[in-house]
Structures are given as C-alpha cells and as structure tokens.
Amino acid sequence: VGNTFEGELFGYQMQVIWACLGFAIYGVGAEIAGITVSKVIVKWFTGHELALAMGVQVALARFGTAAALSFALPFAKSMGAASASVGLGAAMLCIGTLSFIVYNVMDKKEDAAAAAVASEPEEGFKFSDLKLLFLNRGFWYIALLCLMFYAGVFPFLKFATKLMVIKYGVAEDIAGSIPSMLPYGTIVLTPLFGYVYDKIGKGATLMIIGSILLTLVHAIFAIPGITSVGVAITMMVILGIAFGLVPSAMWPSVPKIIPMQLLGTAYALIFFIQNIGLSMVPIWIGKINQANTDPATGLIDYTETMTTFACYGIVAIVIAVLLLIEDKKKGYGLQEANIKK
C-alpha cells in the first residue's frame, strides 16, 4: 500500500491536500465555537459589560493565534518533530472541551434558578422568525460592514511583510515585526474600546471612526512617493487602533438589533458572509499584485493594490453611516451605553 501523503491530486501535492482538509475541518469547528461563545457572552452580559466581555474574548483569541504562529515552529524544533506542536494543540483543545462541559453544568443550574422566578417561559426559535432577520436592514448593514472591514485587514496582512521590504526598504529579518504589531495591539485595544462602549455608548460612531482610519491607512500606503519607514510604522499603529475600534463596537451591537432567539443564526450568517469575502478577496488581490509585478526584477508596485483596499474602507464608511441613520430611525440603541443602571 502506497503512502497516502505521496503523489499529486488535481496538480497539488498530497501533503497540501491533506493539510487543506485538516484546516477545513478545524475551521468548521472554530466557527461553531465562535458562534456559541458569542451567544453565551450576550446571554450573561446583556445590560452589563457586554462589549468588554466580548473584547476580552476577542483579545484572548488574537493572543492564541499570535502565540501559535510565533511559537509553533520553535516548539517543534525544540521537541524534534512537528507532531509535538500538533499534540500540544490537541491537548489544549481537550482542555477547552472540558471547560465547555463544566460551563454547561453551571449554565443549566443558572437557567433552572432563573426559570423558577420567571413569570413567563423564554420564547424559543421558530423558522418562521427568520423573516425578521432577513428583512432587518440593520442586520445587513452589520454583515456588510463586517465583510468590507475585514476584507481591508486580513488579506492585507498576508503580504504586509513583503510590502515593508519592497516599498519601505525594511530588512527581511525584521520586516515581519511591523505587521505583527497589529494582532498584539488588538489584545489591549479591543477590551479597552469595549469598555468605552459599555460606559459611554456611541457604538455606531466608533465603527465610523474605525472605518475612516482604515481608509486613511490604505490611502497613505497607496501613495508611491511616501517610502519612509516611520510612516509605515505609524500607519500600522493607526490600523491597529482601527482594528480595535470596529470589532469592539460591531459584535456587541448585533444583540441590540437581533432578538435573542435569532442571535445564533445572525452570528452564523455574519461569519458566513465574512468568510466568503475572505476567501475571494485574496484571490483578487493576488491577481492585482501579479499584474503589477515587474518581470525583470520581480518587484511589485503596490499602488493599485492599496487603492483597492482603500476602496473597501470607503464602502465600510458608507455602510457605517447608513447603520447610524438606521439606528436613529429604529431606535436600536447603538449610541447608548451597554451598562444599564
């Protein structure tokens, strides 16, 4: 019997095929976990520090991602095999599963106590209620804002290191440290801005400001004559602020627009729309980069690429403004503080 990791399929090495399959299965689980955790936080923190709780959750997720990317290879080298990193990841997933089981026991006890004093039973999910979701303009504004904003961040980070080397002349061995400031910065900024939203409100305003900063950063990166390393670092810091502002206000705003029984479905659809964009945008950006590559030197002119990202930011600004207008019409309370006295 031949080795299933050898050979090719559809022009790709079998190792790549198996890796893609593994990432796909893991991705499905990660999305389910994300949806469940979001609804759990809304359930227990509505009327309290909702945005702060979500901000801490996002910060921990960002820390986990950054740690995995930073330490997986050194850990594998120190242990002598890549399987060591995989084993460590599996062990951490087991810890997470046990934690979720413990939470479920606690949750059932709290639900039983709440039901004992409730005057009416909680209304459950009905498929007929989906029309309330699909006809809700505020929901679609949030979903499209999520799509356009993240389309201007994650695909950009895939080649940001190369941008630092080619356009700004940063040494290759340290070029990656500049884009890495973004995920590490959000670990602090997302809970901080979430706390601001809880105390002061102005959620729609925070999303507008974040979208403006995103557009500004990409517009500066698109200007050919600006090649200062200092400017590049400053723009990455500003992008980190934007990346902390929008998610800290966007995710806690969903429960203000969507009723509790549809919240899981709403988060699932938002993630679905977001992932469609994150799968298509890198392909489009790759074609733009390829079209602007000098065949003689292999260097890329990123002007058109960064202009495209700036356009995503402009669309995000428009959507955020429309969301603010819709909030004033429907009274969702996006500009109000989350903590109810």
Side-chain angles (χ1 to χ4, degrees):
V1 180
N3 192 331
T4 57
F5 291 96
E6 295 180 352
E8 294 185 357
L9 181 65
F10 305 119
Y12 295 96
Q13 294 290 329
M14 286 304 300
Q15 295 97 322
V16 176
I17 299 296
W18 283 107
C20 289
L21 179 62
F23 271 110
I25 296 173
Y26 181 81
V28 171
E31 291 298 289
I32 294 173
I35 294 166
T36 304
V37 168
S38 297
K39 187 168 181 178
V40 165
I41 292 175
V42 171
K43 177 180 178 180
W44 293 112
F45 286 90
T46 295
H48 305 283
E49 293 83 0
L50 175 61
L52 175 60
M54 284 193 163
V56 172
Q57 182 265 322
V58 170
L60 289 174
R62 297 276 185 268
F63 176 77
T65 300
L69 293 174
S70 300
F71 302 116
L73 182 58
F75 181 75
K77 287 183 176 180
S78 65
M79 299 298 292
S83 58
S85 292
V86 178
L88 177 61
M92 297 178 73
L93 288 172
C94 289
I95 294 172
T97 302
L98 291 174
S99 300
F100 184 70
I101 293 172
V102 172
Y103 162 76
N104 271 280
V105 174
M106 298 171 60
D107 184 65
K108 287 185 179 297
K109 290 183 178 179
E110 294 291 340
D111 280 346
V117 299
S119 58
E120 295 181 3
E122 183 180 349
E123 185 179 359
F125 170 81
K126 301 189 299 292
F127 281 101
S128 59
D129 291 337
L130 287 176
K131 65 181 180 181
L132 299 176
L133 180 63
F134 294 132
L135 297 178
N136 190 320
R137 191 176 298 174
F139 162 76
W140 289 110
Y141 286 151
I142 285 282
L144 293 176
L145 175 62
C146 176
L147 169 63
M148 299 311 301
F149 183 82
Y150 283 126
V153 177
F154 288 123
F156 165 71
L157 290 178
K158 292 181 181 298
F159 67 87
T161 299
K162 198 171 183 179
L163 172 71
M164 297 299 141
V165 174
I166 294 177
K167 183 174 181 179
Y168 296 97
V170 181
E172 291 186 359
D173 56 341
I174 61 171
S177 61
I178 299 178
S180 70
M181 293 189 301
L182 187 64
Y184 283 110
T186 56
I187 293 173
V188 176
L189 294 177
T190 305
L192 174 62
F193 292 138
Y195 179 77
V196 171
Y197 188 15
D198 287 330
K199 284 286 188 179
I200 302 175
K202 306 298 181 183
T205 302
L206 293 176
M207 287 183 266
I208 293 173
I209 295 173
S211 299
I212 291 173
L213 293 179
L214 173 72
T215 306
L216 173 66
V217 167
H218 290 319
I220 297 297
F221 277 139
I223 300 175
I226 299 180
T227 58
S228 169
V229 177
V231 171
I233 294 174
T234 302
M235 290 303 102
M236 291 303 302
V237 171
I238 295 175
L239 184 59
I241 296 172
F243 197 35
L245 275 169
V246 174
S248 66
M250 180 172 61
W251 297 118
S253 294
V254 177
K256 292 185 175 183
I257 298 174
I258 303 300
M260 188 66 182
Q261 69 268 23
L262 291 173
L263 199 56
T265 304
Y267 278 124
L269 285 173
I270 292 173
F271 290 159
F272 175 72
I273 294 170
Q274 170 190 320
N275 286 328
I276 290 177
L278 294 181
S279 65
M280 297 177 65
V281 169
I283 297 175
W284 175 247
I285 294 300
K287 290 182 178 180
I288 295 176
N289 286 342
Q290 188 175 13
N292 289 278
T293 300
D294 188 333
T297 62
L299 299 179
I300 303 173
D301 181 357
Y302 287 105
T303 303
E304 184 179 352
T305 302
M306 301 313 302
T307 301
T308 302
F309 281 125
C311 290
Y312 294 153
I314 292 172
V315 176
I317 294 172
V318 173
I319 295 172
V321 171
L322 291 174
L323 180 62
L324 176 61
I325 295 172
E326 188 71 9
D327 175 57
K328 291 181 178 180
K329 289 180 180 179
K330 300 295 179 64
Y332 293 130
L334 302 185
Q335 296 292 83
E336 299 175 4
N338 293 319
I339 299 176
K340 303 300 181 183
K341 297 181 180 180

